[in-house]
Amino acid sequence: MTDRSIKNMAPRSKAQFKSIREEKRALIMDAALEHFARDGYHNTTITHLARHAGISKGLMYNYFTSKEELLAEIINKSMNEVSAYFDPDRDGILTEEEFELFVRKYLLLIKGKVAFWQLLLQLMLQKDVREQLLVAYSGKPQQGGFYKMSPHSKSDVFRIILDYYMRKKESKPPDYDPVLEMNMFMYTLSGFALTTIYAEKTDDTYFEKTLNRIIELYK
């Protein structure tokens, strides 16, 4: 027996088991997102997902206790990726540097994972999923469905962004409307994100110019 074969027979460490488990969870979540978006959340069963992932239904429950938890993990993972760049020091106040960081990272995240966001939007447009999502991100603790893992609720995000524009009022003309400015920023950001997600092809130069222009207009 060679040293290599002996090494391969060595018991796995806790770190290795954790890595394998996380890889399997990611595989299940990717498969679930695809099936939820294509076949519908209501029509997709745990049995179907287990078969697709190549594991038994019983073993599936070792990774996710329910279909609701699986859906919650998919949504929360994407929300956490975005919120990681929003108010990164978690002090409830956006600086201009933090504002620019969020806009830039958010749009680059969209551009870098277009296929994922296409599937996610298809999933979130389903009525039963949308209803759970709206309740979950209202800022109220949930049981048996979505779990609020994001550092900020939807109301927190709007409050922090509005505060950002309210603080600018002192240096702006008398007719400056911080609420309008916030809404225009949100509409522009959402519109460009959707355009990026569904564009047949993204021109890198045009994307960068547009991103910089949004920051210039609303920072």
Side-chain angles (χ1 to χ4, degrees):
M1 186 177 291
T2 65
D3 290 342
R4 170 179 252 173
S5 62
I6 292 174
K7 182 178 180 181
N8 289 338
M9 292 175 62
R12 293 191 176 104
S13 66
K14 288 184 179 180
Q16 288 174 318
F17 273 116
K18 182 178 179 181
S19 176
I20 292 171
R21 180 177 175 80
E22 290 304 313
E23 287 178 10
K24 179 61 75 172
R25 279 174 59 88
L27 175 66
I28 294 171
M29 289 168 66
D30 288 344
L33 175 58
E34 182 179 345
H35 285 282
F36 287 161
R38 186 187 65 198
D39 304 325
Y41 171 71
H42 181 73
N43 295 328
T44 303
T45 65
I46 285 288
T47 301
H48 182 82
L49 292 174
R51 188 184 307 120
H52 185 92
I55 60 177
S56 68
K57 182 179 178 180
L59 186 57
M60 183 80 167
Y61 287 110
N62 287 336
Y63 294 97
F64 299 97
T65 60
S66 65
K67 189 170 74 169
E68 290 78 13
E69 183 188 8
L70 177 51
L71 175 62
E73 290 290 339
I74 292 171
I75 301 296
N76 283 325
K77 180 182 178 183
S78 63
M79 295 299 103
N80 286 342
E81 286 182 344
V82 172
S83 66
Y85 301 108
F86 183 81
D87 184 28
D89 60 5
R90 305 293 181 242
D91 66 352
I93 299 173
L94 279 186
T95 64
E96 289 190 345
E97 292 75 17
E98 289 174 337
F99 178 90
E100 179 173 348
L101 173 70
F102 169 68
V103 174
R104 191 171 298 280
K105 292 291 187 178
Y106 170 63
L107 292 176
L108 287 173
L109 184 63
I110 295 289
K111 181 175 179 290
K113 300 175 63 177
V114 166
F116 168 83
W117 287 97
Q118 286 176 344
L119 288 173
L120 188 63
L121 283 176
Q122 287 176 241
L123 172 62
M124 292 170 69
L125 287 173
Q126 296 173 29
K127 184 180 178 181
D128 47 356
V129 175
R130 186 170 65 253
E131 288 174 350
Q132 290 189 57
L133 183 65
L134 289 173
V135 172
Y137 286 90
S138 65
K140 301 176 182 178
Q142 302 300 313
Q143 292 184 357
F146 284 103
Y147 300 87
K148 183 180 175 296
M149 297 171 64
S150 176
H152 297 299
S153 69
K154 184 177 179 181
S155 60
D156 288 334
V157 171
F158 279 100
R159 176 183 57 76
I160 292 171
I161 295 177
L162 179 58
D163 175 71
Y164 176 78
Y165 285 108
M166 289 293 291
R167 284 184 281 113
K168 289 180 172 293
K169 192 171 183 178
E170 294 181 3
S171 60
K172 297 292 184 179
D175 61 349
Y176 175 79
D177 185 340
V179 176
L180 177 61
E181 194 73 7
M182 179 189 74
N183 287 334
M184 290 301 300
F185 163 67
M186 299 295 285
Y187 297 151
T188 303
L189 190 68
S190 300
F192 185 51
L194 284 172
T195 300
T196 302
I197 290 170
Y198 289 108
E200 292 185 4
K201 185 177 179 181
T202 303
D203 181 286
D204 290 342
T205 301
Y206 181 78
F207 176 89
E208 187 67 23
K209 287 176 66 175
T210 306
L211 190 161
N212 289 332
R213 182 58 175 157
I214 291 173
I215 292 172
E216 180 185 352
L217 284 172
Y218 296 107
K219 180 178 175 181

